[in-house]
Amino acid sequence: MDHDGLVNRYDHVIMAGAALGALGANLPEYEHWKCTFFDHLDKAYKLHHIHDVYILEHRDCGAYRDFLQEAGDFDEGQEKAEFACHRKYANQLRREILAWAKERDIKLRVRAFLMDLRGRVAQLEEPRQNRKPKRKRAES
């Protein structure tokens, strides 16, 4: 947050499993977590007219391991596999936040990051080729 000049200028919600937790771990028994996250997002927008959402994941996340084992979708792998897993769920949440915002005619920018245990941060956004291309505006 310091890097983007946002120290003491943000709301936050913390959930075990970061993006995966905010998605309700894609498990029925945690669906209420997803509702909680989007209720918080709605209130943050109404109170503060937020423009940006930051998703901050961290390496060696026990909640990811727990949730994904429960879903039968966990493969303890190397650093690249862990990065890919965090990217997958952070971008799933990113897409859902953007869809939520679009339904409400709200403009939000959503950014996703993965932090290692020493505080180094890497971006998790999908590569450009995997994103839907922006439509060009018609010339008038």
Side-chain angles (χ1 to χ4, degrees):
M1 303 313 278
D2 184 43
H3 182 315
D4 287 356
L6 296 172
V7 172
N8 297 323
R9 295 183 34 211
Y10 59 92
D11 287 353
H12 67 271
V13 61
I14 299 170
M15 302 186 84
L20 187 55
L23 290 164
N26 292 330
L27 294 167
E29 60 268 35
Y30 294 101
E31 181 66 26
H32 61 284
W33 286 28
K34 185 175 185 175
C35 293
T36 298
F37 172 79
F38 280 97
D39 286 348
H40 180 93
L41 182 62
D42 185 60
K43 186 60 73 178
Y45 182 78
K46 287 176 180 171
L47 291 174
H48 305 292
H49 302 287
I50 61 172
H51 302 287
D52 298 282
V53 174
Y54 285 62
I55 300 167
L56 182 59
E57 307 274 306
H58 72 85
R59 289 199 178 271
D60 196 26
C61 180
Y64 258 76
R65 198 169 19 259
D66 187 55
F67 288 142
L68 295 176
Q69 282 175 339
E70 198 171 326
D73 189 25
F74 182 73
D75 180 25
E76 191 126 24
Q78 290 142 341
E79 210 169 283
K80 279 186 176 180
E82 181 186 22
F83 184 88
C85 185
H86 282 283
R87 173 182 273 169
K88 173 184 174 179
Y89 292 108
N91 282 298
Q92 180 183 342
L93 179 59
R94 178 182 177 275
R95 288 187 298 273
E96 290 195 28
I97 291 169
L98 292 172
W100 173 91
K102 185 176 182 178
E103 286 175 7
R104 290 156 181 79
D105 197 30
I106 296 170
K107 300 227 184 288
L108 285 179
R109 182 171 70 161
V110 182
R111 302 182 67 201
F113 302 92
L114 178 63
M115 183 170 54
D116 70 16
L117 299 178
R118 292 193 172 269
R120 291 179 295 245
V121 177
Q123 287 189 299
L124 287 173
E125 277 88 7
E126 295 173 315
R128 279 255 175 242
Q129 66 268 21
N130 292 343
R131 294 188 197 174
K132 291 181 181 177
K134 291 185 179 181
R135 289 188 210 164
K136 291 185 179 180
R137 292 186 182 167
E139 297 290 325
S140 45

